[in-house]
Amino acid sequence: MFRDMNNIAENELLEWIKRSIKTRTNIFSCGYQGNVYLYEDKGRRLIIKAPVGWGLGGIIRRAMLRHEHRVYSRISGVTGVPHCYGLLDGRYLVLEFIDAIPRYRARITDRDVFFKALLKLIKDLHKSGVAHTDLKKKDNLLVVEGRTPFVIDFGVAVIRKSGFAPVNRYLYNLALKFDFNAWIKLKYDGRYEDILEQDREYFNRTVIEKVSRLIKDTYLDIKKALKGKR
Ligand SMILES: Nc1ncnc2c1ncn2[C@@H]1O[C@H](COP(=O)(O)OP(=O)(O)O)[C@@H](O)[C@H]1O
Ligand SMILES: [Mg+2]
């Protein structure tokens, strides 16, 4: 499984990650599923996602990383996702490092090219039987050189099961809509009134999204009203 890992020995990497966790070093980012570590040596760079915490939280995070590993096995070969080297010691997810800037900080030089490529990427994921579901999150979309999208973080992605699986099919279809709605939201920066005719087919808000939007709007209205009273 780890044969191809930039010539880095599996045991060497395992020692490195255990040491990094213990000494709290080499942390690249602290995320929801755990910490993300950056391995750098002689120009070789890898990302390692490691679960943190004990008890129920730890169990859930480990399960999410195992799930993410299963997702990566389904989508290997899709352009725009990091290469996955495997699940080291059954718990550390080893990924190709993408030298990019998170979308919320990046300057996109050619929006048309970028969002066309992102739409293709989303469709390619769906063709492989994977719906991401979390594309609206500001740090799950990376931008390479201002114009090329990369999608990461498949911790809550839905995998389409084969055969008779009505619950999975329902969730999967919902997740497909989430992905396209996220694409619209990102492309139009939330200005839904600007959606072009040719993109309308991708915008199909689900009940869940409508309710969460309603809660958010109500909350903002209350906040505004309270501010006015002060
Ligand atoms: N393959 C990668 N290449 C470059 N940066 C990455 C990669 N994977 C994760 N990161 C960085 O780490 C952050 C957290 O990773 P992510 O997979 O989103 O974890 P979480 O599930 O904890 O949100 C990302 O926002 C990104 O900045
Ligand atoms: Mg994330």
Side-chain angles (χ1 to χ4, degrees):
M1 170 165 60
F2 285 93
R3 243 177 312 152
D4 228 14
M5 205 168 51
N6 267 339
N7 287 325
I8 302 161
E10 198 176 324
N11 56 348
E12 184 194 318
L13 193 64
L14 187 57
E15 283 313 308
W16 179 89
I17 186 68
K18 285 184 176 167
R19 215 171 36 246
S20 302
I21 292 169
K22 207 168 172 186
T23 55
R24 294 173 196 271
T25 49
N26 304 310
I27 295 175
F28 186 68
S29 145
C30 300
Y32 300 94
Q33 287 181 74
N35 289 339
V36 173
Y37 295 82
L38 175 64
Y39 174 92
E40 251 184 316
D41 182 43
K42 300 184 193 105
R44 302 171 301 186
R45 290 193 285 189
L46 292 173
I47 282 287
I48 298 165
K49 290 183 77 171
V52 289
W54 303 100
L56 188 62
I59 292 171
I60 292 171
R61 288 189 193 102
R62 279 197 293 281
M64 281 174 85
L65 282 182
R66 279 200 300 275
H67 174 71
E68 190 165 3
H69 177 234
R70 271 196 300 277
V71 172
Y72 272 111
S73 316
R74 276 288 276 264
I75 58 175
S76 71
V78 170
T79 304
V81 297
H83 177 70
C84 175
Y85 293 99
L87 199 62
L88 187 61
D89 206 25
R91 53 163 48 211
Y92 307 113
L93 188 69
V94 185
L95 299 171
E96 170 195 4
F97 172 76
I98 306 298
D99 198 357
I101 300 174
R103 185 199 58 89
Y104 68 99
R105 281 203 279 114
R107 209 177 67 84
I108 296 171
T109 47
D110 191 330
R111 289 182 68 84
D112 274 352
V113 170
F114 181 84
F115 283 103
K116 215 169 160 188
L118 180 59
L119 184 60
K120 178 170 186 313
L121 173 42
I122 292 171
K123 287 181 177 175
D124 286 347
L125 290 174
H126 294 176
K127 267 187 217 148
S128 316
V130 166
H132 187 283
T133 78
D134 208 13
L135 288 172
K136 281 184 190 166
K137 184 96 46 72
K138 60 187 172 115
D139 57 0
N140 290 342
L141 179 59
L142 305 179
V143 184
V144 176
E145 288 169 1
R147 51 187 283 140
T148 308
F150 261 79
V151 169
I152 55 165
D153 195 356
F154 291 86
V156 292
V158 180
I159 302 176
R160 190 187 61 222
K161 286 186 185 158
S162 54
F164 180 68
V167 177
N168 168 265
R169 204 48 52 84
Y170 173 76
L171 290 174
Y172 182 72
N173 287 334
L174 198 64
L176 297 180
K177 287 184 191 159
F178 278 14
D179 284 357
F180 286 129
N181 289 342
W183 179 75
I184 287 284
K185 183 175 186 226
L186 295 168
K187 178 170 176 180
Y188 291 94
D189 259 335
R191 289 187 300 272
Y192 296 111
E193 60 281 7
D194 293 349
I195 301 174
L196 294 173
E197 195 52 45
Q198 73 259 28
D199 287 342
R200 278 192 197 280
E201 60 176 304
Y202 299 110
F203 188 53
N204 189 354
R205 268 215 186 122
T206 64
V207 175
I208 298 173
E209 285 170 313
K210 280 182 191 154
V211 171
S212 68
R213 177 85 198 187
L214 190 71
I215 294 171
K216 197 172 157 196
D217 286 349
T218 314
Y219 168 75
L220 289 176
D221 285 348
I222 294 171
K223 225 171 130 187
K224 244 191 234 161
L226 289 175
K227 249 189 182 170
K229 276 196 172 170
R230 264 202 254 142

